[in-house]
Amino acid sequence: MTGFGLDHLPYGVFSTEGGEPRVGVRHEDTVLDLAAATGRPELARDRLNDLMALGPRAWAELRAELPGLLERGDHLHEVDRVQLHLPFAVGDYVDFYASEHHASNVGRMFRPDQEPLLPNWKRLPVGYHGRGGTVVVSGTDVVRPCGQRVAPGSTDPVYGPSQRLDIEAELGFVVGAGSALGDRVAADSFADHVFGVVGLNDWSARDIQAWEYVPLGPFLGKSFATSISAWVTPLAALDAAWTDLPGQDPEPLPYLAPGRTRGLDIDVEVELDGEVVARPPYRTMYWSPAQMLAHLTVNGASTRPGDLFASGTISGTEPDQRGSFLELSWGGKEPFTAAGRERTFLEDGDEVVLRYSAPSTTGGRVSLGEVRGRVVPARD
Ligand code: CA
């Protein structure tokens, strides 16, 4: 079981030696060259955006054609012998903060004398606009960022490489069909706009973040890199993964469609240097993907093919379900063990892999594309 059977068929962009990047679909350990197999111009591109812009009817029609195209056995490449590229040109990128357990853990660490959740947290899906231009494909090295930080007990900042580099295990949602300026996307219209799902690692420099984030939120502590999987899992492959979220109290305002609290039963694994150190469950999130998109557009902000919005760190109720090293080591105070060593934040040379799996429509499981990244030393 590869998790890449006919019940999955995720899309990506690949190239072979000397060839131009083009759209492919993954089946088992092969990639089908969709540009060659169909002759369609929107698939002979180095990005999925043109396909995604066609909308849900075209997505369904193409998906229905795929088994037949695969059966012919032409235009197939071994996945290990192709280069995978960033699957779509990323437009605007928004990161939410939709896990109650993550937000509560961070609140307890950063504001120990106050309520862990701020008054707005259960009223709206809190988020911020990130940097679309630094979203990179799985396998891209991450250069340790430099910036300002303030040492414990000091009041003056120093400049240098981050000492508290971290990950955030998240899920990303890719907008295919956009929406016009001034329009709102109702929570009921989620599937008319969202093309699919990617794995996402929101690399985070906690020391830079802690000094800069008040009052306007995350900035340079996040914007140096965000990794996504090379494969975009179409929503249709996740039809059997929808599940009820734990519940919302107080009931959200009507535009957040209180009935639209369906989440996805996706299991996540966080691997550090070859050992799984956490298993965050996406089904425990507070806000649903449809509510996040409804909130993102409630002010009339438009969306475009390639816009990306992420869930925020996925953390469950249990200590080994936490999706960041900040939480796994409780602010660096309680080291955890990986590959026989005590660990807190990331060291140069560390490799992190995020893996995702979900129930498939045929009773098995699909494996979403992995998100892999290695930390390399800061540049002088
Ligand atoms: Ca995040």
Side-chain angles (χ1 to χ4, degrees):
M1 289 291 287
T2 59
F4 291 96
L6 288 172
D7 49 5
H8 189 187
L9 303 178
Y11 295 97
V13 170
F14 77 102
S15 60
T16 50
E17 205 171 333
E20 294 294 314
R22 52 211 187 267
V23 172
V25 67
R26 170 122 182 226
H27 177 236
E28 303 297 356
D29 292 326
T30 64
V31 181
L32 172 66
D33 182 339
L34 273 185
T38 65
R40 287 165 56 168
E42 70 273 17
L43 302 172
R45 304 267 166 81
D46 64 355
R47 52 189 66 185
L48 292 172
N49 299 55
D50 303 87
L51 166 64
M52 297 196 300
L54 297 177
R57 181 173 294 183
W59 308 337
E61 287 170 2
L62 179 60
R63 186 169 169 83
E65 281 180 46
L66 296 177
L69 295 172
L70 285 162
E71 202 165 318
R72 288 190 212 157
D74 300 330
H75 310 297
L76 291 170
H77 301 270
E78 288 175 43
V79 70
D80 291 342
R81 304 193 64 172
V82 304
Q83 173 152 16
L84 297 173
H85 302 271
L86 189 68
F88 56 96
V90 180
D92 289 303
Y93 164 48
V94 167
D95 196 13
F96 284 96
Y97 194 48
S99 161
E100 180 174 1
H101 308 298
H102 172 70
S104 298
N105 287 338
V106 172
R108 281 190 202 102
M109 276 184 266
F110 285 18
R111 298 181 301 275
D113 305 328
Q114 299 170 37
E115 282 292 310
L117 296 179
L118 292 171
N120 61 4
W121 198 90
K122 288 197 170 179
R123 300 295 188 159
L124 56 83
V126 168
Y128 69 96
H129 279 87
R131 191 168 186 85
T134 53
V135 175
V136 298
V137 69
S138 173
T140 306
D141 285 344
V142 172
V143 178
R144 180 178 296 274
C146 291
Q148 287 196 20
R149 65 176 191 278
V150 177
S154 175
T155 51
D156 293 326
V158 296
Y159 171 83
S162 170
Q163 306 293 303
R164 288 163 73 93
L165 183 58
D166 196 1
I167 63 144
E168 294 193 336
E170 307 194 14
L171 209 59
F173 297 88
V174 187
V175 173
S179 53
L181 192 64
D183 284 356
R184 290 186 287 273
V185 176
D188 289 345
S189 303
F190 177 81
D192 295 334
H193 293 272
V194 171
F195 176 78
V197 175
V198 290
L200 187 144
N201 184 349
D202 173 23
W203 302 91
S204 300
R206 300 299 181 194
D207 39 6
I208 297 172
Q209 182 187 359
W211 171 232
E212 73 178 1
Y213 87 103
V214 177
L216 291 185
F219 186 28
L220 304 179
K222 300 275 193 178
S223 63
F224 53 94
T226 304
S227 299
I228 62 169
S229 56
W231 298 109
V232 182
T233 295
L235 276 193
L238 295 172
D239 276 350
W242 291 100
T243 183
D244 287 330
L245 293 179
Q248 298 179 335
D249 183 20
E251 183 162 300
L253 289 169
Y255 81 87
L256 287 168
R260 290 287 162 182
T261 53
R262 297 281 283 171
L264 288 163
D265 183 14
I266 294 178
D267 289 340
V268 186
E269 284 183 354
V270 178
E271 186 184 287
L272 172 62
D273 291 338
E275 183 170 325
V276 175
V277 294
R279 298 178 192 275
Y282 186 72
R283 64 183 166 277
T284 62
M285 301 298 273
Y286 189 86
W287 294 104
S288 76
Q291 290 176 318
M292 293 192 292
L293 182 59
H295 187 63
L296 169 58
T297 58
V298 72
N299 64 349
S302 51
T303 58
R304 295 173 289 177
D307 280 1
L308 173 66
F309 62 98
S311 61
T313 310
I314 305 163
S315 291
T317 51
E318 304 303 316
D320 62 357
Q321 295 179 333
R322 295 168 178 165
S324 69
F325 298 154
L326 175 76
E327 293 164 271
L328 287 169
S329 71
W330 207 254
K333 295 192 184 94
E334 299 170 15
F336 60 95
T337 304
R341 293 175 53 216
E342 288 207 332
R343 303 302 307 270
T344 54
F345 295 99
L346 287 162
E347 300 170 6
D348 291 344
D350 279 343
E351 185 171 58
V352 175
V353 186
L354 306 181
R355 294 194 173 85
Y356 303 79
S357 73
S360 91
T361 51
T362 55
R365 293 190 76 78
V366 294
S367 302
L368 281 65
E370 68 176 25
V371 185
R372 182 180 293 268
R374 184 179 296 277
V375 178
V376 300
R379 296 197 181 142
D380 292 336

